[in-house]
Amino acid sequence: MTAQLGPQLDALLGSIATTEARVAATAGILLATAAVGWLLLPRAVRAGERLASRWLERFFDDRGEHSIETLREAVPVSFGLRLLVGILQLALFAAATVAILALWGRFAVVVAVLPVAESLVTVGARTLLSALLFGAAYVASDVLSEYVSELSDDSDRITAHQEQLLTRIMQVGVLAVAGVTVLGIWGVNLGGLLVGAGFLGIVLGMAARQTLGSLIAGFVLMFARPFEIGDWVEIGDEEGFVTDITIMNTHMRNFDGEYVVVPNDLVTNQAITNRSREGRLRIHMEVGIGYDDDPDAASDIAEDVLENVNTIANNPAPYVIPSGFGDSAILLDLRFWIDPPTPQARWRSKATAVEEIQRRFAEAGISIPYPQRTVSFPPGTAAGDETVERVERVEGPEDG
């Protein structure tokens, strides 16, 4: 580049031979540099900033405001504009200096200094371009997050978990592309990095199998959607409300107010009961009546009780059916629905049903028998003799 620049400047300025002409040309270069650098450049940069701001507002359509405001707080617009104007003025001054030195036949100085200047310009350009790329990636990640949020609001098929996971994947992808591009700008050998990353991935995969299993299970949960945030679920031995779903864990709060974190790989390997999915829940209860009581009358009383409990849904209507013969009672199966399904509604409905059924059965003379067993003896054998014989049979070997 230096070898080509010298002959071009000599051809351009070679016709200026007299000292007076060189002085006049030098003065003209300085005046032009001052006029352009201190008068035109700031106005042009300000006009370009306003034009770019209007274009960005139309392009992003009010998306990414948070990230843009964050960048403006980190690097104020006034500081950025002054920095840009200063860089352009410095470049203009350097060009004017080269022209003046070439005009006075001192181009050898330029040849000696130019390699250092080129290195500085290259480093500065790479630094500025890297900062712009990371800033653009930050804004783009925020824009993608708002776009996914708008898409989720317009569609019922995207859950909060899926929205969060898609946002994280897109953000990581954008930052990864920006990082690879920056490494390429600085001349880093990406092939060696990829080979090293491959070996590192193998080592980490073997050392963190459970963590990777939870990560993969997080993607499975995103697409399978067995539950959503706010659902009342039972996962293995844990039961409660889902408060958050991350890529690695599922967060729950049980009925004792305890905060429970279940790794996603355990979630996918256990039975999941979602009591909120259908919007209602059926409850089963059993009550026993004496064998001398009328099952139809007891069923009518129990149904009337269930129909008048506020926490029990009337559609479908509750019903009671005799379900079997117990050891000491005829069993009645009580079936009713709660809508919406909540633990409070389940406990309150069952407690109210037990209290009212016991009271109504007592008023109607229907017994709820205790567990009991009837003992009978063979015909012709007295109960006392049988008892004595049994005692003797039990105690005989010990006495002998």
Side-chain angles (χ1 to χ4, degrees):
M1 180 179 179
T2 306
Q4 297 176 355
L5 184 62
Q8 292 177 357
L9 288 176
D10 289 338
L12 180 63
L13 303 175
S15 58
I16 303 176
T18 62
T19 302
E20 292 79 3
R22 290 178 178 179
V23 171
T26 301
I29 292 173
L30 292 176
L31 288 175
T33 302
V36 173
W38 275 269
L39 295 178
L40 297 180
L41 271 181
R43 296 181 180 180
V45 171
R46 177 63 65 178
E49 187 271 335
R50 289 195 295 266
L51 181 63
S53 297
R54 288 195 295 267
W55 182 82
L56 289 175
E57 289 177 358
R58 290 195 301 269
F59 179 78
F60 289 123
D61 192 18
D62 295 332
R63 299 189 184 99
E65 292 183 355
H66 174 72
S67 59
I68 293 175
E69 290 298 326
T70 303
L71 291 177
R72 285 179 176 176
E73 292 177 0
V75 183
V77 175
S78 58
F79 172 78
L81 292 177
R82 289 197 299 270
L83 180 62
L84 179 59
V85 169
I87 293 174
L88 294 176
Q89 288 175 344
L90 182 62
L92 184 62
F93 176 75
T97 302
V98 171
I100 292 173
L101 289 175
L103 178 64
W104 289 92
R106 296 294 185 269
F107 193 76
V109 178
V110 177
V111 173
V113 175
L114 194 57
V116 178
E118 287 180 350
S119 299
L120 293 176
V121 169
T122 302
V123 173
R126 289 177 177 178
T127 303
L128 179 61
L129 186 57
S130 300
L132 291 176
L133 281 174
F134 280 122
Y138 180 70
V139 174
S141 64
D142 193 20
V143 171
L144 288 174
S145 175
E146 295 185 12
Y147 177 77
V148 172
S149 178
E150 293 177 0
L151 186 63
S152 175
D153 294 338
D154 296 336
S155 175
D156 296 334
R157 301 181 62 184
I158 300 179
T159 65
H161 178 217
Q162 290 174 329
E163 176 186 345
Q164 182 185 28
L165 195 56
L166 286 174
T167 300
R168 294 292 181 269
I169 291 174
M170 289 184 177
Q171 289 176 342
V172 170
V174 169
L175 293 177
V177 171
V180 171
T181 305
V182 169
L183 291 176
I185 291 174
W186 288 94
V188 177
N189 185 8
L190 298 179
L193 285 179
L194 291 176
V195 173
F199 282 109
L200 181 62
I202 295 174
V203 174
L204 291 178
M206 297 178 63
R209 286 176 294 179
Q210 184 174 1
T211 302
L212 291 177
S214 297
L215 180 64
I216 296 173
F219 286 97
V220 173
L221 290 177
M222 182 188 73
F223 294 104
R225 297 174 58 183
F227 51 78
E228 300 176 6
I229 295 176
D231 283 355
W232 171 18
V233 300
E234 181 179 355
I235 304 174
D237 297 331
E238 301 293 341
E239 183 177 5
F241 291 97
V242 178
T243 59
D244 193 15
I245 306 172
T246 65
I247 298 179
M248 303 298 298
N249 303 303
T250 296
H251 302 256
M252 300 172 56
R253 188 169 297 279
N254 62 19
F255 303 141
D256 295 329
E258 298 173 333
Y259 183 69
V260 181
V261 179
V262 184
N264 286 334
D265 59 331
L266 296 181
V267 174
T268 55
N269 290 328
Q270 298 186 86
I272 301 173
T273 303
N274 190 335
R275 296 191 169 92
S276 300
R277 174 58 63 89
E278 299 299 328
R280 60 184 182 178
L281 181 66
R282 189 167 73 172
I283 307 298
H284 290 266
M285 292 178 57
E286 276 192 345
V287 61
I289 62 174
Y291 276 99
D292 296 331
D293 297 319
D294 184 3
D296 292 333
S299 299
D300 293 338
I301 293 174
E303 285 185 2
D304 183 64
V305 170
L306 296 177
E307 290 174 354
N308 290 279
V309 177
N310 295 330
T311 54
I312 294 178
N314 292 324
N315 187 19
Y319 61 95
V320 180
I321 58 173
S323 61
F325 297 98
D327 292 337
S328 57
I330 297 176
L331 301 178
L332 303 181
D333 187 11
L334 286 64
R335 302 181 183 184
F336 55 89
W337 297 82
I338 55 174
D339 184 10
T342 62
Q344 293 82 4
R346 181 179 65 174
W347 300 329
R348 193 176 297 115
S349 61
K350 294 178 71 173
T352 305
V354 169
E355 294 173 358
E356 289 298 314
I357 289 174
Q358 193 275 337
R359 184 181 65 82
R360 293 283 299 274
F361 277 9
E363 292 177 353
I366 298 175
S367 63
I368 302 177
Y370 296 100
Q372 55 187 323
R373 179 171 297 174
T374 301
V375 180
S376 61
F377 300 95
T381 303
D385 297 340
E386 179 69 18
T387 304
V388 172
E389 290 177 3
R390 289 182 179 179
V391 172
E392 289 178 352
R393 282 198 299 269
V394 173
E395 295 179 352
E398 294 180 357
D399 295 337

